Amino acid sequence: MSKKLTTRAEDYSKWYNELVVRADLAENSGVRGCMVIKPYGYAIWEKMQAQLDKMFKETGHENAYFPLFVPKSLFEAEEKNAEGFAKECAVVTHYRLKSDEENKGKLIVDPDAKLEEELVVRPTSEAIIWNTYKNWIESYRDLPILVNQWANVVRWEMRTRLFLRTAEFLWQEGHTAHATKAEALAEAEQMMNVYAEFAEDFMAVPVVKGFKTEAERFAGADETYCIEALMQDGKALQAGTSHFLGQNFAKAFDVKYTTKEGKQEHVWATSWGVSTRLMGALIMTHSDDQGLVLPPKLAPIQLVVVPIYKGLDQLEAIRAHIKPYLDELKKLGVSVKFDDRDTQKPGWKFAEYELKGVPVRVGIGNRDLANGTVEVARRDTLTKETIDITNLVETVTTLLEDIQNNIYQKAFDYRASHITEVNSFEEFKEVLENKGGFISAHWDGTTETEEKIQELTKATIRCIPLDSKEEEGVCMYTGKPSKKRVLFAKAY
Amino acid sequence: MSKKLTTRAEDYSKWYNELVVRADLAENSGVRGCMVIKPYGYAIWEKMQAQLDKMFKETGHENAYFPLFVPKSLFEAEEKNAEGFAKECAVVTHYRLKSDEENKGKLIVDPDAKLEEELVVRPTSEAIIWNTYKNWIESYRDLPILVNQWANVVRWEMRTRLFLRTAEFLWQEGHTAHATKAEALAEAEQMMNVYAEFAEDFMAVPVVKGFKTEAERFAGADETYCIEALMQDGKALQAGTSHFLGQNFAKAFDVKYTTKEGKQEHVWATSWGVSTRLMGALIMTHSDDQGLVLPPKLAPIQLVVVPIYKGLDQLEAIRAHIKPYLDELKKLGVSVKFDDRDTQKPGWKFAEYELKGVPVRVGIGNRDLANGTVEVARRDTLTKETIDITNLVETVTTLLEDIQNNIYQKAFDYRASHITEVNSFEEFKEVLENKGGFISAHWDGTTETEEKIQELTKATIRCIPLDSKEEEGVCMYTGKPSKKRVLFAKAY
C-alpha cells in the first residue's frame, strides 16, 4: 500500500497494469496469456453478470450450456467463421498422459491416446450450438430459440493484457434462431440496446451505438452491431457486439424449419456477447492516479466504515454507536463493511479503500463519538465532510446516487470533448496525434481505403454510428463521394 | 409427449436416460462424452448454484477464477494427484489450425504451432491454484484463504452418462489455505456439512456423511469427507466430497508462511466440490414412471396454470378471474407459469408438466369459472382436488411445503429400509443381489480386502459413516478383527 501508483500522465499503460494488480482485481498466471481473476475483481464481475442476466431474462432469454470442445469437422463447417478463428485456436489432440520412463516422476503425452478427430477449444460457440439447434428445430412452432450461455472461451492471442486481451476469458454468448430476417435483425438490435443500457446505467460508461464495417465484422456475420466506449487516453474500446448472422449458420448446418404454410426455409440467426473485457473498460473509464473508481451500482463494497480507536473498549463503543445507522443502510440494500482489523492502521486502510475504489468511506473516532459526528469521504471527488451521524443514512444513499451520476457525467463530458469532426486527412492525422478520441470523418465505403488509413495511422473505423445523419461529403483520404460520416479511433 | 416412458421396473437405466432427454434436461452432443444442458435442466442447476453460492458466502468464502489450462510441469508437481488424473486428461498440444492445401475448405492442425509445453485441460484445479497461492501467502496475516470457483472441468471418461459421468462437467471447487491442521480439518468437515444440508433441505435427498477409505480418497488428499445418497434402484451415488489435503500441495508448490512467532511453516489445505452430477441424484431420487418429480425449492416453475377454454373470450375471462391469486402468489415468491399457448391441448400440457415435474398444477375451465373453483393437482402423489378459488393462495403455499417434506420423507423411508446390517460374506452377497441398498458390515481396514470384495461383488465401501459407533466385530470377508462397521454398496 506504501508505493504510489504510476500516474496516468507518466505512463497510461503502466498505470493500468499496476492498478489491476494492486487493487486485487486480477494477475497473470503460470499459463501464458491466461489470468487469475482475484476475489475482489471477481466480485465486480459477479455484479455485472447478475445485472446482465436479469436483463437477458427480462427480454425472454434462457440460459443453457454447450460443450467446451468443437470437433474440427464441425468447426470448419461455416467457412468464414472457421477462417476467422483458425489462427488462434487451442487444439486438443490427446486424451491421456503417462509416466515418462526415462524421467521418473514426470509425465508425457501418451502417443497411444491420440484422438481420431482433433477438438478445438471453443473460441466462440456458433458451430457447436448450430449443430445442436439442428435437432431442436422442425417447425415454426419451435421458433424463436432465445438462449444464452455463460462460459469461458479461448483465443490464442500473442500479445495479452489483463482483462483487455487474454488467451482465456469469461463471457456470455447469446445464440438465437428465428423464422424471419426481420425478427433476427430486431433481436440483434435489441441486444445492442441492452448492452448500451447496461454500460451507461450500471457501468456509468457512455457508449456510441453503431454498425461495424465489413472488414471489422464478426467472422460469419452479415451485420455486426456494436457499442464503443472511449478511454481516458483517447483510445476506443469495443465493449459489446451483437451479430445478425443471416442464414449462414443455418445453411452450414442445414437447419430448416417448416413454415405455417408448409414450406421448408432456412432459419435466421443472431449471436451477441460481452466479456470480462468490460472490466478493462470499467477500470480505464473512471479510475484516477489514486486508484480505482467504481460506480456504486457495481461496487462490491459501497460503504466502508473505518473506526479510529485505541483499545477494544473504544472499538466496541464506536461499533455500538454506529450500528443502528449501518443496519438501516443494509436494510436499504447498501453493502457495508465495518473494518475492525487490528492488523492495520486507519491511514493504511484509507489508502487501501481509495485504491480499491470503494465509493463512500466513513471515518469515526473518539472525538466523533463525543460530538455525534462522522467524517464522510467520497471516492470520485476525493472530498470529505463532517456530518451529524443522524444524517448518515440519507447522506450515504444520496452520495451513492450522486457518485453514479457524477462519474457518468464526467465520462460523458470527456467523450463529448473528444469527438472531433475533420474534413481532410491532414487534419485527421493532426487530431489523432495530438488529441486522440473519436474522429468523425467521411470515408468512401471501401475496405481498401479503410486498410490504407489503418496502415498509415493505426486508426480503425470503430463504427458507423446508428444516429449518423445523411450528409453529402467526400472521403477524407480518396476524395470519392460519401454520404455518411463514420467514427475512427485508435482502439484497444 | 405421446409415447410413455420406459418404466423403472422394466429398465431402470433406460428409464433414466429417456427421462433426462424427454424432460428437456440434457442431451448428448456432437462431442464424445460431452452433454448439452438444455434450458430447463440448466434452470434447475442455476437454482442449485444460487443456493450453494449463498451458503458458501455465509461461511466466509469468496469466488475467484483460475485458468482452464494447467501446464504439464505444474500438473505433475503433486505426484499422487497427477497420477490419479493423468489417465483421463485432455491435452492441448497446438495453438493454431491452417487450411488443408490438399483438401479445400478443410482445416488441419498447423505443425508449426506446437506448444513448447503441453497444457492439460483442468480435471481439477489444485495444481494451478496452489501455484497461485504461493504468491498470495507470506505470513499468518494472509491466512486463511477461503476461495471458491464455479467452472467447467474435463475428465476423459470412457463410459459416459448424462449428468452422472460426462467428459466435461460443471462444478464448483473450493480451495482453502490455513495456518493449522485443526483449522483445515474443521473447514473440510464444515463444507461436508454444508453439502449435506443442501442435499437434505433443498434437494430433499437424505445423505450419509462419512469418510472415504484410503483406496477411495481423492488423489492427493489425506482424508476425504463425503456425502452418499441412495437411488431408487438400490445403488449409491457420491453426491459431494470435501478433502483435507494436509500439506501435500503446500509442499509440492513450496507454499510457506511466517507464523506469529516468526517461524516458517507449510500451509494446510482443503478442497471441496459438487458438480452437475447432483442433477443425476436429484432426478433418480424422486422421479417416477410418469416423469420427473422436483422438490419445490429447486423447481424452475413451482405452479403451472392450464386454462381449459374455447376461444379467446373464455381464455381472457379465465385469465382475469385467476390473476389476483397468481399475483399474490408471485408476491410471496412462488414462480408461476400461466400456459396460454393455443398450439397445444390441455391434456397434452397436463402430461408435459407431469413429465417435467412441476410440483403443483392448476386446471381451470368454464365450469370452474361459474362455480368459483379450480382443480389443484400435486405432482408427487399424482392426486388432485377441487377447491374454492379463494383458497388458492393458501392451498398452493401449503402444498409446496408439503411436497418438499413428503418427497424427502419418502426418500428417507426408502433409504431407512435399505440399510442392512450383515455379519457374513454369504449374507452380504445375498442382500446385495436381492435387495441392494447400503450394507453395513465389518471390514478389516485393508485396501486388499476392499479390492477383493469389489472384484467379487462390484460393491465398494461408500464411506465410514461419521456416526458409526465403536463395535467389536470381525471382518465379514477375512474374519480379522474390526472395530467399526462401514457402508458398502454398488454405486454410480
Side-chain angles (χ1 to χ4, degrees), chain A residues 1-25 232 283 286-293 351-357 379 382:
Chain A
M1 218 50 45
S2 49
K3 223 182 64 191
K4 277 202 177 256
L5 275 179
T6 297
T7 65
R8 290 164 293 175
E10 277 167 2
D11 187 337
Y12 190 84
S13 176
K14 200 171 165 203
W15 163 80
Y16 174 79
N17 294 339
E18 273 182 28
L19 177 53
V20 170
V21 172
R22 291 190 41 202
D24 277 340
L25 301 175
Q232 293 178 61
I283 296 160
H286 304 302
S287 302
D288 62 24
D289 296 343
Q290 275 64 48
L292 211 55
V293 174
E352 189 195 23
Y353 294 114
E354 219 161 83
L355 181 62
K356 289 194 162 180
R379 175 62 186 88
L382 292 167

Side-chain angles (χ1 to χ4, degrees), chain B residues 95-162:
Chain B
Y95 59 84
R96 192 162 63 221
L97 297 173
K98 64 170 193 174
S99 299
D100 183 353
E101 296 188 2
E102 290 164 25
N103 211 339
K104 215 177 145 341
K106 302 288 176 184
L107 297 167
I108 53 169
V109 175
D110 185 344
D112 294 337
K114 192 167 188 302
L115 289 167
E116 275 180 45
E117 178 176 12
E118 294 89 350
L119 299 173
V120 172
V121 181
R122 63 181 165 217
T124 179
S125 300
E126 279 76 8
I128 191 77
I129 287 179
W130 278 87
N131 186 57
T132 306
Y133 283 179
K134 186 171 62 184
N135 305 317
W136 292 6
I137 298 169
E138 284 181 17
S139 92
Y140 69 93
R141 281 188 209 87
D142 302 318
L143 296 172
I145 294 178
L146 303 173
V147 163
N148 175 61
Q149 154 168 287
W150 290 96
N152 53 344
V153 286
V154 172
R155 297 177 186 176
W156 207 262
E157 304 275 1
M158 280 302 157
R159 278 197 277 175
T160 61
R161 287 188 74 188
L162 293 169

Side-chain angles (χ1 to χ4, degrees), chain A residues 236-279:
Chain A
L237 187 147
Q238 174 182 303
T241 49
S242 181
H243 316 293
F244 167 66
L245 303 172
Q247 296 176 314
N248 301 333
F249 285 90
K251 284 176 180 166
F253 290 92
D254 194 27
V255 188
K256 288 183 184 163
Y257 76 100
T258 311
T259 66
K260 272 190 188 166
E261 295 74 31
K263 283 200 294 182
Q264 289 280 304
E265 301 273 5
H266 280 113
V267 172
W268 298 85
T270 82
S271 68
W272 30 275
V274 295
S275 74
T276 36
R277 193 160 211 247
L278 287 181
M279 292 286 293

Side-chain angles (χ1 to χ4, degrees), chain B residues 1-239:
Chain B
M1 216 52 42
S2 49
K3 223 180 62 192
K4 279 204 177 250
L5 276 178
T6 297
T7 66
R8 290 162 294 174
E10 277 168 0
D11 186 337
Y12 190 83
S13 176
K14 198 170 167 206
W15 164 80
Y16 173 80
N17 293 339
E18 273 183 25
L19 177 54
V20 170
V21 172
R22 291 193 36 204
D24 276 340
L25 301 175
E27 64 184 34
N28 287 307
S29 74
V31 193
R32 206 203 65 83
C34 295
M35 66 182 158
V36 170
I37 306 180
K38 298 177 79 174
Y40 191 62
Y42 200 85
I44 300 169
W45 175 242
E46 280 183 310
K47 289 212 143 195
M48 290 188 177
Q49 281 189 300
Q51 179 57 33
L52 284 165
D53 199 71
K54 184 163 171 267
M55 294 168 91
F56 299 157
K57 283 175 177 156
E58 282 166 1
T59 43
H61 303 87
E62 299 176 297
N63 289 327
Y65 188 76
F66 299 86
L68 170 67
F69 299 130
V70 190
K72 189 165 66 65
S73 58
L74 294 183
F75 182 76
E76 67 198 4
E78 209 294 318
E79 276 191 51
K80 277 194 189 158
N81 187 249
E83 197 187 305
F85 288 100
K87 290 179 290 295
E88 50 189 36
C89 278
V91 188
V92 175
T93 55
H94 292 74
Y95 59 84
R96 192 162 63 221
L97 297 173
K98 64 170 193 174
S99 299
D100 183 353
E101 296 188 2
E102 290 164 25
N103 211 339
K104 215 177 145 341
K106 302 288 176 184
L107 297 167
I108 53 169
V109 175
D110 185 344
D112 294 337
K114 192 167 188 302
L115 289 167
E116 275 180 45
E117 178 176 12
E118 294 89 350
L119 299 173
V120 172
V121 181
R122 63 181 165 217
T124 179
S125 300
E126 279 76 8
I128 191 77
I129 287 179
W130 278 87
N131 186 57
T132 306
Y133 283 179
K134 186 171 62 184
N135 305 317
W136 292 6
I137 298 169
E138 284 181 17
S139 92
Y140 69 93
R141 281 188 209 87
D142 302 318
L143 296 172
I145 294 178
L146 303 173
V147 163
N148 175 61
Q149 154 168 287
W150 290 96
N152 53 344
V153 286
V154 172
R155 297 177 186 176
W156 207 262
E157 304 275 1
M158 280 302 157
R159 278 197 277 175
T160 61
R161 287 188 74 188
L162 293 169
F163 290 123
L164 296 171
R165 198 172 291 276
T166 48
E168 182 193 12
F169 55 91
L170 302 184
W171 80 343
Q172 61 67 220
E173 45 181 329
H175 295 272
T176 68
H178 306 267
T180 66
K181 178 177 179 177
E183 202 182 300
L185 272 167
E187 165 79 7
E189 189 170 343
Q190 170 184 255
M191 298 323 290
M192 173 198 62
N193 286 323
V194 165
Y195 289 154
E197 189 187 331
F198 173 74
E200 302 199 330
D201 294 356
F202 291 84
M203 294 173 62
V205 173
V207 293
V208 178
K209 300 188 228 180
F211 300 102
K212 286 289 180 190
T213 62
E214 200 183 333
E216 295 276 333
R217 254 178 226 153
F218 177 75
D222 284 353
E223 192 75 85
T224 287
Y225 293 86
C226 64
I227 56 170
E228 295 283 329
L230 193 63
M231 304 298 100
Q232 295 178 59
D233 60 347
K235 284 171 77 174
L237 187 147
Q238 174 182 301

